[in-house]
Amino acid sequence: MKKPGEILRQTRIEQGLSPKEIYGQEISKSSYHRFENDLQSIPYHKLKIILDRLDLTFDEFEFILNGYDNTIKYTFISRFKNLRNTTNQNAMSELITDIETILLTRRSPFLVDLKAILESLLIFQQTQSFEKARQGVVYIWDKLEKKDEWNFTDILLIANIFYIFPTGTIETIYDLLMKAIQRYQHYPWISNYNMSVPLNYCLYLRNNGRIMECLPYLEKTLDIAKKEKSTLNLLDARYRLCEIMYLKGDQKQATQIYKEILSILNFLEETHFSSDIKSDWDELPHYKQKSP
């Protein structure tokens, strides 16, 4: 497995570039010599400059650094994304088991965190207790709170659990998430988070008697879902808007839309999703909205 400095030196030489062209005035001759010989670590802001001049992305650099093998990490990222709905307890349990198998022979802080996220989501599905669900993932927020900038895997992890944290912390995480997502707008896997993060924030608002505050978030998510042709996010946003319509008194039209959404989900065989919104709908007549 190659070291960071070795990769920088080899890439620079292969591209026929001199040290001055890559390191410029920002990095001294003695420093780049130490960088390239792995005698000194490279600060993040300087590494970014170097990679830009080498026309390398951080993903490419990480891929090379890992011996041209990020297969395991990205396989699990892909599997987690493909769950599509975190109410699918069997799929989450299977993913946890597979992660545990990998961790027996391979060190991966990311997979440790992903396992904790999945276990937290399972606890929430089984207990409907935010307090119990967040006990095993508080350490993830403790780590992220200290970071100046979040990377994509940070976004992936915290985006799926931030709504289980207490009021105050949730708002802070949401703001930081949206800023991080904005920085990653051109990253291949980021588009879904423009929709799922506001939807998860609405879940928090709903569970705290503040469902009417969801309207601007849902309208924005609906617009993005239409542009992205994201069927499940589109249906999710439409259903949440349907709840607001119901609580505003237009129960007949809301019921009709709800039945249409349920029918589409059943046609798509999204049984976990349809079961989840049916449960929410059944409790809607007893929903208590907090006074502003």
Side-chain angles (χ1 to χ4, degrees), residues 220-274:
K220 183 177 180 179
T221 300
L222 196 62
D223 287 340
I224 297 172
K226 287 176 181 176
K227 291 175 185 175
E228 296 287 335
K229 294 180 170 48
S230 177
T231 302
L232 293 184
N233 282 316
L234 179 69
L235 292 171
D236 196 350
R238 282 196 67 202
Y239 170 72
R240 301 302 165 187
L241 286 168
C242 182
E243 289 188 329
I244 293 175
M245 183 186 298
Y246 181 97
L247 293 174
K248 282 184 173 180
D250 195 351
Q251 297 177 355
K252 183 177 180 181
Q253 186 177 0
T255 301
Q256 181 180 342
I257 295 172
Y258 158 71
K259 289 180 177 178
E260 290 171 359
I261 294 170
L262 201 64
S263 177
I264 294 169
L265 288 173
N266 288 330
F267 175 76
L268 295 174
E269 297 183 351
E270 291 288 343
T271 53
H272 295 286
F273 196 173
S274 63

Side-chain angles (χ1 to χ4, degrees), residues 2 30 32 52 72 74 110 129 156 170 184 193 198 235 242 250 254 261-262 276 280 284 290:
K2 294 183 178 181
S30 61
Y32 82 67
D52 284 345
I72 292 176
Y74 288 106
F110 167 73
S129 168
L156 178 145
I170 287 178
Y184 272 79
Y193 291 94
L235 292 171
C242 182
D250 195 351
I261 294 170
L262 201 64
D276 200 35
D280 286 349
L284 201 56
K290 287 185 180 178

